[in-house]
Amino acid sequence: MNTNKTHSELAEQFNRDTKRVDWHDETLWFVRVKRDRAANQIPEWEQLREAASQIKNNVLSNLHDYLLEFERQALLNGIHVHWATDAKEHNEIVHSIIQQHGINHIVKSKSMLTEECGLNEYLHDQGIEVIDTDLGERIVQLANEPPSHIVLPCIHWKKEEISELFHQHLGTPKGNADPKFLTDAARAHLREHFLTSRLAITGVNFAIAETGEFVVCTNEGNADLGVQLADVHIACMGIEKIIPQRKHLGVFLRLLARSATGQPITTYSSHFKKPRAGQEMHIVLVDNGRSKRLASDDFRNALKCIRCGACFNTCPVYRRSGGHSYHTAVAGPIGSILAPGFDMEKNADLPFASTLCGSCSHVCPVKIDIHQQLFNWRQVLVKNGHVNTTKKIGIGAASFILSRPWLYKISGSLVRLFMRAVPSLINNRLNPWYTHREMPKAAPKSFNSWYQTNRKNG
Amino acid sequence: MGSREAILAALKKNQPALQPLPDISIASSNSGDLKAKFIQTLTSIGGKVIEVSEPDEIASHISKEFNSSARIVNTVEDLHPKFEAFNPKSDSHDFKNVTLAILKGVFGVAENGAIWITDSNMGDQALPYICEHLALIIKSDSILDKLRDAYDKIGNADYRLGTFLAGPSKTADIEQSLVLGAHGPKSLLVFLINQK
Amino acid sequence: MKVGLFIPCYIDQLYPQVAIATLELLEKQGLKVSYPLNQTCCGQPMANSGFEHLTHDCNKNFIQNFDGLDYIVCPSGSCTLHVKEHLHDKSDETKAEKIRNRVFELVEFLTDVVGVKNLDASFPHKVGLHQSCHGLRGLHLAQMSELVAAPYSKPEQLLKMVKGLELISLDRKDECCGFGGIFSVFEEAVSAKMGQDRIADHIKHEAEYMTGVDMSCLMHMEGILKRQKSDLKVIHIAEILNSNLT
């Protein structure tokens, strides 16, 4: 992942291929449209969002007790419970379980938490072969890149490109880009891995404090197939994924798939409560900055996220810049308010990769105030010095001028005079505005001046 | 301090003032004919529904759809005995070449076309996922309206594994083209028993 | 009632005709409108850049100019929203709060406060309504497409009163144009692409004019249109609503 370039630079590169940007934008916009259709079939949709939001607010205010209750119930169910303060510890715990069983080939279903912790890279360095079994994830894994979307990992790949990738890695015939053919090829290829792997890692969509069970949602059935053929199941979970009671799934499972892809429910919503006879089940509860974020009134709400991806699909900037422009595990709007919390320096550009249009906040099934947090992060970043000098000087000057009416009027007149007299000094390639736009025309007189002439004495 | 204690201490210190849980009894419009809605929804997501009045009809439907070389494993006791009976001594991997698995579901959900099944209905927990095609049997009067009704019905039931299963496995990961049959079964056949 | 005109800095400097149209439109409703002469800027460009802590003097100046009025009307959804949400003065929060409660964007002022039922306006053209984000999602000038809720639109309500005006429909009725203040410069590529796409939508549906409540959005798209040498023109909604029968 290109960690040295900013979102702006990466987005500019992305936009050089206009046809491709249009394709990426239209594909994701259609997912937004499907979400709208699904949501509009539920007259009580907005009440569901409000209920989900309030349940999550309650969870965040009682996370300590809910986690203890979950642990208690899970242990009674025969699940091994582990706690990891950070990504490193999570990776070490997962690795030690794998090592204990003398395993070096495992299957993994989608888990953004494991992406966040860099688990695949860590395990690879320890000599463990990790096979991502979600089709989209397997595609990007073969291509040695990170996913670009948390629900649609290879949305940035065209089928011809996938065909070529499969030809190279799976030996499929060159040039066959039929999605059914390619999916069947992946099915056969991954089935071998399912049948020969003794350990499966999954993510967790929801964990229920009341019953000590957890839910994993997929369309492909890869999480289930992997787990049911394995001797060991490790589920990896961010501590914020807890919900209080089983019946609350009646709210969240109605919102999740509709928000993500516009379907009423995923094909499989599996509630894992106890290990199979003879199987070991583990769950790793991961903090990695979440307890710290919990303390912040401004940024706590980001912990309500159920990772549906709706904010990605509606974001006009994400659709036209692609997930890799965000240079972080979770991209898009939610990623832009999470990433600076992990590394302010590296991710200082992300909260500015937005026009603050607010669309994200209003498709969010749990009502996270994403656009508000983007604004708040901008203040934090500037206060911590993560702003370029040009901007700092420019804004400082603007603030000085705009708080002094006399100076504002003079500057205004001078700038307009300048624009009219020497347009070429502004209308050139050094001016970013000018790359695709003409400059606005400078009016000969300001409104203030007009008013004083035409109205003040009238 | 171990990680567990450190995390719990941080949570206790940092969590905001308690916010109450909401009342989730959200009024919703009645779906009318639940069976019709269930069939419509499940069909729209790639499932196939066949209504029968006698369990015996199920066996004859299956025999028509699948030829004699197909390996058909049946976990439903009162179904016609001509299919291979599920053998609880099998290893999960033994089911890798099953063409069709026949299981009983607990109930259906009209709003999303899903069927709830638990490990006690699966025989082997791998069976509903490893088979090439899956057949589920439920009574049509077991169909509930919304997911909330489903969780009311489940209550605090105990199980090892419970799944809402809605249609055949699928993916749209390749340029958003929907393909039925990803890693789980390629098709789902649901038999609705209409009792008189 | 004492009504004060709040004119965004860029309208004052670059699009004074919008301010003139706003003033005339309000006067046509029989209102006596004042224009505090020492107003400058609402502070949004600084705040959105992360420099909200530098807006105190700007806020103070705003409060000084607009204190004592019953209503403050502004031909910009974005600037109105900013004042509504961010105008504070630690030394006199009561004054700031009063102003926050009394500032209105022009369209909502006309529909909700004045209760305009008809306009003596004529604009016989095909018009596309660009729904600027802050006015739409922040001030609720119309129902946003994200919500499952009953449709309504205050701008359309007024545009329907204009003789001869034909409102065209769009493929994406409320997607952002990509201006976003400093975003237009610091994320230039995406900003331009977003503007181009909005324009393409209007052109596809044969709009002759693109209008909206925010001149900033229109300024950004006008820049693109001029570069494309397009026939599509931009015009602020105040100018349409103020256009006379000729």
Side-chain angles (χ1 to χ4, degrees), chain A residues 322-338:
Chain A
H324 291 164
S325 296
Y326 293 74
H327 54 73
T328 183
V330 176
I334 187 68
S336 301
I337 60 174
L338 289 172

Side-chain angles (χ1 to χ4, degrees), chain A residues 134-136 183 219-220, chain B residues 169-174 177-182:
Chain A
D134 174 275
L135 177 57
T183 304
N219 278 317
E220 297 179 23
Chain B
S169 72
K170 60 192 176 200
T171 180
D173 271 340
I174 298 180
S177 298
L178 183 64
V179 175
L180 298 181

Side-chain angles (χ1 to χ4, degrees), chain C residues 46-176:
Chain C
M46 282 86 81
N48 282 0
S49 304
F51 293 85
E52 193 172 18
H53 59 284
L54 292 183
T55 59
H56 301 305
D57 290 340
C58 218
N59 285 349
K60 262 199 149 67
N61 185 58
F62 193 94
I63 293 169
Q64 255 171 35
N65 275 269
F66 290 98
D67 177 41
L69 293 163
D70 297 316
Y71 294 98
I72 302 150
V73 184
C74 174
S76 162
S78 168
C79 306
T80 305
L81 182 68
H82 181 79
V83 170
K84 265 199 159 96
E85 292 186 340
H86 294 278
L87 186 75
H88 292 290
D89 183 0
K90 286 198 188 106
S91 64
D92 199 338
E93 192 55 26
T94 328
K95 265 197 190 150
E97 191 185 347
K98 265 211 190 106
I99 290 176
R100 289 202 305 274
N101 292 332
R102 292 172 187 197
V103 65
F104 286 84
E105 179 277 332
L106 175 65
V107 166
E108 63 176 357
F109 182 72
L110 291 173
T111 56
D112 297 355
V113 181
V114 178
V116 167
K117 289 289 181 280
N118 42 53
L119 288 167
D120 195 13
S122 161
F123 195 77
H125 299 282
K126 282 184 163 170
V127 175
L129 174 64
H130 172 70
Q131 302 202 76
S132 301
C133 301
H134 294 146
L136 174 68
R137 297 189 188 84
L139 297 176
H140 304 283
L141 295 182
Q143 189 57 268
M144 64 184 100
S145 62
E146 290 83 0
L147 297 182
V148 175
Y152 69 89
S153 171
K154 296 177 193 182
E156 277 186 31
Q157 202 181 314
L158 294 176
L159 288 172
K160 286 202 175 99
M161 299 175 193
V162 179
K163 283 195 184 60
L165 189 148
E166 185 186 332
L167 206 55
I168 54 127
S169 64
L170 297 163
D171 286 346
R172 299 188 193 180
K173 51 196 288 236
D174 52 18
E175 188 183 38
C176 178

